[in-house]
Amino acid sequence: MRMSVIGCGYLGAVHAAAMASIGHDVIGIDVDERKISSLSDGVAPFFEPQLTELLQEGLASGRLHFSARMADAAGSAVHFLAVGTPQVAGGQAADLRFVDAAVDSLLPHLRPGDVLAGKSTVPVGTATRLAAKVAETGATVVWNPEFLREGWAVHDTISPDRIVAGVPDGADGESAADLLREVYRPAVDAGTPFLVTDLATAELVKGAANAFLATKISFINAMAEIAEAAGADVALLADALGHDTRIGRRYLGSGIGFGGGCLPKDIRAFAARAEELGRREAVGFLHEVDAINLRRRERAVRLVVDALGGLVFGARIAVLGAAFKPFSDDIRDSPALDVAIRLRGLGADVIVTDPAATENAAAVHPQLSYTRERDEALRDADAVVIVTEWDEYRRDLTPEHAGALVSKRIVIDGRNCLDSAAWRAAGWTYHGMGRR
Ligand code: UDX
């Protein structure tokens, strides 16, 4: 099927490459000429496992193209809208400027029968508003939210847990749902649940899913606060809770909490929209979820200060991690970097290491020192703080190896990802978050 993907960021670039890989003829469009030129050369403009291979295969097959001209979208049966919806400056709501700009510039190229399929995370009601905008072209607006995780984006796009197709009532809606079923034929044939809903429900599914995940993380981090006060161990608690199949262990990872380009801004936009709809009390808990999450960063800094006996000024601190999570070079709202910046603000000599994100971090926070070399960061450190659970730190770094490099054997495990007994046995003072 011939399709366009408008917006080639994390979501759109992966979607375009994935759609070409399952046999579609895809044109990816973005206003950023540098991004387009990089994608056209088969180079992913950001770190995402498997994306480069998929791009190169798609370009070589002749089924994948990129362009900065919206006119190249003309003639596609379906136009996927995958532009960003950041948090509005000075507020909590989503900024829909890019969504509207993309739709406005697509309008002259839409034909009767075309489907405009929104993938961006938007406040409920947006699809209906856009439908009014495109009505006179004869195109149909549907909502087909994306649930991909950075680091797993290719996998999540090709083999999603479910596909949601929000369509308008009536024959146009039914044929649009059929068209989406055809787009995702390989996944549908493999048994992926395909749920057809109204537009508002499809928009809400995405916000609700992110709100649930954020709540689950903040729930376990709230338990970490209690465990700290009670002398209990939150990691063992999470294991025990997770064996209950009604609860499950995933997203019960305690530590410095969630960040990134999605969960924080999405829960805020979700709450802001609910308040607009007169349902403030229904989302009051999301403010708590946010507050618990942000408290964890402060708590990690406090653990470092206490571990150093209050002597932070001038102390050399190795911060292992800058990305908001492993397998990503994304530093947007990264709790890891936030902890590093706060320690620097207290006068510590902070050296940050990360296998993928140091360049992005240095561009935005030049006040910190950076190295890609883990061991260089560890050398002569007075304290080691693990804030992103890359395999290089969690699995590959032994306490003996690290112990030979540092000045003091003090480790703060901001992701509760180390074997505390092994580190203690090797002479380290180990501090987890909510752990004994
Ligand atoms: C998230 C959703 O998972 C995805 O479905 C949605 O489409 C976009 O937002 P992503 O931002 O890529 O995806 O990251 P995710 O893997 O969900 O992690 C988000 C944050 O939560 C990270 O900072 C991570 O470190 C943190 N996290 C995750 C925890 O602190 N504990 C956990 O148990 C899981």
Side-chain angles (χ1 to χ4, degrees), residues 146-150 206 210 213 217 221 250-254 257-263 266 324-326 335 389 415:
E146 189 58 65
F147 303 97
L148 61 82
R149 296 159 296 167
E150 288 179 24
K206 177 60 191 276
N210 278 351
L213 294 172
I217 298 168
N221 282 331
R250 294 176 74 192
Y251 281 78
L252 286 183
S254 54
F258 61 81
C262 292
L263 291 194
D266 286 352
F324 82 106
K325 66 172 193 180
E389 68 278 32
R415 292 291 183 180

Short mmCIF file of all heavy atoms in Angstrom, two decimals, residues 146-150 206 210 213 217 221 250-254 257-263 266 324-326 335 389 415, ligand 1:
data_model
loop_
_atom_site.label_atom_id
_atom_site.label_comp_id
_atom_site.label_asym_id
_atom_site.label_seq_id
_atom_site.Cartn_x
_atom_site.Cartn_y
_atom_site.Cartn_z
N GLU A 146 0.25 4.87 19.01
CA GLU A 146 1.47 4.08 19.02
C GLU A 146 1.90 3.88 20.46
O GLU A 146 1.82 4.81 21.26
CB GLU A 146 2.55 4.87 18.24
CG GLU A 146 3.79 4.12 17.98
CD GLU A 146 3.54 2.84 17.21
OE1 GLU A 146 3.11 2.90 16.05
OE2 GLU A 146 3.79 1.77 17.80
N PHE A 147 2.35 2.67 20.79
CA PHE A 147 2.74 2.39 22.18
C PHE A 147 4.21 2.05 22.29
O PHE A 147 4.64 1.40 23.25
CB PHE A 147 1.89 1.24 22.73
CG PHE A 147 0.41 1.50 22.65
CD1 PHE A 147 -0.35 1.00 21.60
CD2 PHE A 147 -0.21 2.28 23.62
CE1 PHE A 147 -1.72 1.26 21.52
CE2 PHE A 147 -1.58 2.54 23.54
CZ PHE A 147 -2.33 2.03 22.50
N LEU A 148 5.00 2.43 21.29
CA LEU A 148 6.39 1.94 21.27
C LEU A 148 7.22 2.54 22.39
O LEU A 148 7.04 3.67 22.80
CB LEU A 148 7.04 2.21 19.91
CG LEU A 148 7.20 3.62 19.39
CD1 LEU A 148 8.43 4.29 19.98
CD2 LEU A 148 7.31 3.57 17.88
N ARG A 149 8.14 1.69 22.85
CA ARG A 149 9.12 2.13 23.85
C ARG A 149 10.42 2.41 23.13
O ARG A 149 10.82 1.63 22.25
CB ARG A 149 9.41 1.01 24.86
CG ARG A 149 8.25 0.59 25.71
CD ARG A 149 8.49 -0.81 26.27
NE ARG A 149 8.56 -1.79 25.19
CZ ARG A 149 9.00 -3.05 25.33
NH1 ARG A 149 9.44 -3.47 26.50
NH2 ARG A 149 9.02 -3.87 24.31
N GLU A 150 11.11 3.48 23.50
CA GLU A 150 12.43 3.73 22.93
C GLU A 150 13.32 2.55 23.32
O GLU A 150 13.20 1.99 24.40
CB GLU A 150 13.00 5.04 23.46
CG GLU A 150 12.28 6.23 22.87
CD GLU A 150 12.80 7.56 23.39
OE1 GLU A 150 13.95 7.63 23.85
OE2 GLU A 150 12.02 8.52 23.35
N LYS A 206 -4.12 5.69 24.75
CA LYS A 206 -2.70 6.01 24.87
C LYS A 206 -2.39 6.76 26.18
O LYS A 206 -1.49 6.38 26.93
CB LYS A 206 -2.25 6.84 23.66
CG LYS A 206 -0.82 7.31 23.71
CD LYS A 206 0.14 6.13 23.77
CE LYS A 206 1.55 6.58 24.08
NZ LYS A 206 2.31 7.01 22.97
N ASN A 210 -0.17 5.22 29.45
CA ASN A 210 0.99 5.88 30.04
C ASN A 210 0.73 6.28 31.49
O ASN A 210 1.62 6.19 32.34
CB ASN A 210 1.40 7.11 29.21
CG ASN A 210 2.26 6.71 28.02
OD1 ASN A 210 2.68 5.56 27.91
ND2 ASN A 210 2.51 7.65 27.13
N LEU A 213 1.16 3.11 33.58
CA LEU A 213 2.57 2.71 33.74
C LEU A 213 3.28 3.64 34.73
O LEU A 213 4.03 3.18 35.60
CB LEU A 213 3.29 2.74 32.39
CG LEU A 213 2.80 1.70 31.37
CD1 LEU A 213 3.44 1.94 30.00
CD2 LEU A 213 3.08 0.28 31.85
N ILE A 217 5.00 2.68 38.45
CA ILE A 217 6.37 3.00 38.87
C ILE A 217 6.34 3.84 40.15
O ILE A 217 7.09 3.58 41.09
CB ILE A 217 7.12 3.76 37.74
CG1 ILE A 217 7.25 2.89 36.50
CG2 ILE A 217 8.51 4.19 38.23
CD1 ILE A 217 7.71 3.66 35.24
N ASN A 221 7.77 3.21 44.00
CA ASN A 221 8.68 4.18 44.60
C ASN A 221 8.10 4.77 45.90
O ASN A 221 8.85 5.12 46.81
CB ASN A 221 9.04 5.28 43.59
CG ASN A 221 10.09 4.78 42.61
OD1 ASN A 221 10.90 3.92 42.95
ND2 ASN A 221 10.08 5.31 41.39
N ARG A 250 6.53 -6.38 36.01
CA ARG A 250 7.03 -5.34 35.12
C ARG A 250 6.54 -3.95 35.56
O ARG A 250 5.44 -3.81 36.09
CB ARG A 250 6.58 -5.61 33.68
CG ARG A 250 7.25 -6.89 33.16
CD ARG A 250 6.76 -7.24 31.79
NE ARG A 250 7.33 -6.34 30.79
CZ ARG A 250 6.89 -6.28 29.53
NH1 ARG A 250 5.91 -7.05 29.13
NH2 ARG A 250 7.46 -5.47 28.68
N TYR A 251 7.41 -2.95 35.38
CA TYR A 251 7.14 -1.57 35.81
C TYR A 251 7.03 -1.44 37.32
O TYR A 251 6.45 -0.49 37.83
CB TYR A 251 5.93 -0.96 35.07
CG TYR A 251 6.37 -0.52 33.68
CD1 TYR A 251 6.52 -1.46 32.68
CD2 TYR A 251 6.73 0.80 33.43
CE1 TYR A 251 7.01 -1.09 31.43
CE2 TYR A 251 7.22 1.17 32.18
CZ TYR A 251 7.36 0.22 31.20
OH TYR A 251 7.86 0.59 29.98
N LEU A 252 7.60 -2.42 38.02
CA LEU A 252 7.78 -2.28 39.47
C LEU A 252 9.26 -2.10 39.77
O LEU A 252 9.73 -2.51 40.83
CB LEU A 252 7.21 -3.49 40.22
CG LEU A 252 5.69 -3.59 40.32
CD1 LEU A 252 5.29 -4.81 41.14
CD2 LEU A 252 5.06 -2.33 40.91
N GLY A 253 9.99 -1.53 38.83
CA GLY A 253 11.41 -1.26 39.05
C GLY A 253 11.54 0.02 39.85
O GLY A 253 11.19 1.11 39.38
N SER A 254 12.03 -0.07 41.11
CA SER A 254 12.15 1.12 41.96
C SER A 254 13.49 1.80 41.73
O SER A 254 14.40 1.23 41.16
CB SER A 254 12.02 0.69 43.42
OG SER A 254 12.97 -0.32 43.68
N GLY A 257 13.20 6.75 39.40
CA GLY A 257 11.93 7.07 38.78
C GLY A 257 11.96 7.25 37.28
O GLY A 257 12.97 7.04 36.63
N PHE A 258 10.81 7.65 36.75
CA PHE A 258 10.66 7.71 35.29
C PHE A 258 10.99 9.09 34.74
O PHE A 258 10.89 10.10 35.43
CB PHE A 258 9.24 7.29 34.87
CG PHE A 258 8.12 8.13 35.42
CD1 PHE A 258 7.77 9.33 34.83
CD2 PHE A 258 7.38 7.69 36.51
CE1 PHE A 258 6.73 10.10 35.31
CE2 PHE A 258 6.32 8.45 37.01
CZ PHE A 258 6.00 9.66 36.42
N GLY A 259 11.40 9.09 33.48
CA GLY A 259 11.67 10.33 32.75
C GLY A 259 11.43 10.06 31.28
O GLY A 259 10.64 9.19 30.92
N GLY A 260 12.12 10.82 30.44
CA GLY A 260 11.99 10.61 29.00
C GLY A 260 11.05 11.59 28.35
O GLY A 260 10.45 12.46 29.00
N GLY A 261 10.89 11.41 27.04
CA GLY A 261 10.09 12.35 26.26
C GLY A 261 8.60 12.05 26.31
O GLY A 261 7.81 12.81 25.72
N CYS A 262 8.19 10.97 26.99
CA CYS A 262 6.77 10.61 26.96
C CYS A 262 6.08 10.62 28.33
O CYS A 262 5.22 11.46 28.57
CB CYS A 262 6.60 9.25 26.31
SG CYS A 262 6.98 9.31 24.56
N LEU A 263 6.45 9.68 29.21
CA LEU A 263 5.64 9.52 30.43
C LEU A 263 5.43 10.84 31.19
O LEU A 263 4.27 11.17 31.50
CB LEU A 263 6.26 8.47 31.37
CG LEU A 263 6.23 7.00 30.94
CD1 LEU A 263 6.56 6.09 32.12
CD2 LEU A 263 4.89 6.60 30.37
N ASP A 266 3.23 13.24 29.11
CA ASP A 266 1.93 12.66 28.78
C ASP A 266 0.99 12.63 29.98
O ASP A 266 -0.21 12.87 29.84
CB ASP A 266 2.08 11.26 28.19
CG ASP A 266 2.60 11.29 26.75
OD1 ASP A 266 2.69 12.40 26.17
OD2 ASP A 266 2.93 10.22 26.21
N PHE A 324 17.79 8.58 29.82
CA PHE A 324 16.67 8.37 30.76
C PHE A 324 16.41 6.90 31.02
O PHE A 324 15.74 6.55 31.98
CB PHE A 324 15.40 9.09 30.29
CG PHE A 324 14.58 8.35 29.26
CD1 PHE A 324 13.39 7.74 29.62
CD2 PHE A 324 14.99 8.28 27.94
CE1 PHE A 324 12.61 7.06 28.68
CE2 PHE A 324 14.23 7.60 26.99
CZ PHE A 324 13.04 6.99 27.36
N LYS A 325 16.98 6.05 30.13
CA LYS A 325 16.90 4.60 30.35
C LYS A 325 17.94 3.95 29.43
O LYS A 325 18.44 4.61 28.51
CB LYS A 325 15.50 4.08 30.05
CG LYS A 325 15.10 4.18 28.60
CD LYS A 325 13.79 3.46 28.39
CE LYS A 325 13.50 3.27 26.92
NZ LYS A 325 12.25 2.58 26.69
N PRO A 326 18.26 2.67 29.64
CA PRO A 326 19.25 2.02 28.78
C PRO A 326 18.74 1.84 27.35
O PRO A 326 17.53 1.93 27.11
CB PRO A 326 19.46 0.65 29.43
CG PRO A 326 18.73 0.67 30.72
CD PRO A 326 17.75 1.78 30.69
N PRO A 335 16.04 11.48 34.59
CA PRO A 335 16.31 11.55 36.02
C PRO A 335 17.81 11.39 36.29
O PRO A 335 18.33 11.97 37.25
CB PRO A 335 15.52 10.38 36.61
CG PRO A 335 14.71 9.79 35.53
CD PRO A 335 15.18 10.34 34.22
N GLU A 389 20.52 1.95 34.15
CA GLU A 389 20.95 0.57 34.35
C GLU A 389 21.42 -0.11 33.06
O GLU A 389 20.92 -1.17 32.68
CB GLU A 389 19.86 -0.23 35.07
CG GLU A 389 18.56 -0.48 34.30
CD GLU A 389 17.58 0.67 34.32
OE1 GLU A 389 17.99 1.84 34.38
OE2 GLU A 389 16.37 0.39 34.24
N ARG A 415 19.20 2.70 40.68
CA ARG A 415 18.24 1.87 39.94
C ARG A 415 18.02 0.51 40.61
O ARG A 415 17.39 -0.37 40.02
CB ARG A 415 18.74 1.66 38.50
CG ARG A 415 18.71 2.93 37.65
CD ARG A 415 17.29 3.37 37.36
NE ARG A 415 17.24 4.53 36.50
CZ ARG A 415 16.10 5.10 36.11
NH1 ARG A 415 14.94 4.63 36.52
NH2 ARG A 415 16.12 6.16 35.34
C1 UDX B 1 6.86 4.89 27.33
C2 UDX B 1 5.81 3.77 27.23
O1 UDX B 1 6.35 2.57 27.76
C3 UDX B 1 5.40 3.57 25.79
O2 UDX B 1 4.37 2.59 25.69
C4 UDX B 1 4.89 4.88 25.23
O3 UDX B 1 4.56 4.74 23.86
C5 UDX B 1 5.95 5.97 25.40
O4 UDX B 1 6.34 6.08 26.76
P1 UDX B 1 9.48 5.06 26.90
O5 UDX B 1 9.40 6.51 27.24
O6 UDX B 1 10.30 4.64 25.74
O7 UDX B 1 8.02 4.46 26.65
O8 UDX B 1 10.08 4.35 28.19
P2 UDX B 1 9.76 3.19 29.21
O9 UDX B 1 10.55 2.00 28.88
O10 UDX B 1 8.31 3.00 29.42
O11 UDX B 1 10.40 3.84 30.53
C6 UDX B 1 9.99 5.13 30.97
C7 UDX B 1 10.75 5.54 32.20
O12 UDX B 1 10.33 4.78 33.32
C8 UDX B 1 12.26 5.38 32.12
O13 UDX B 1 12.89 6.52 32.71
C9 UDX B 1 12.53 4.14 32.95
O14 UDX B 1 13.82 4.14 33.53
C10 UDX B 1 11.45 4.25 34.02
N1 UDX B 1 11.06 2.97 34.60
C11 UDX B 1 10.51 1.99 33.82
C12 UDX B 1 11.20 2.77 35.96
O15 UDX B 1 11.68 3.66 36.69
N2 UDX B 1 10.82 1.58 36.50
C13 UDX B 1 10.30 0.59 35.75
O16 UDX B 1 9.98 -0.46 36.32
C14 UDX B 1 10.13 0.80 34.36
#
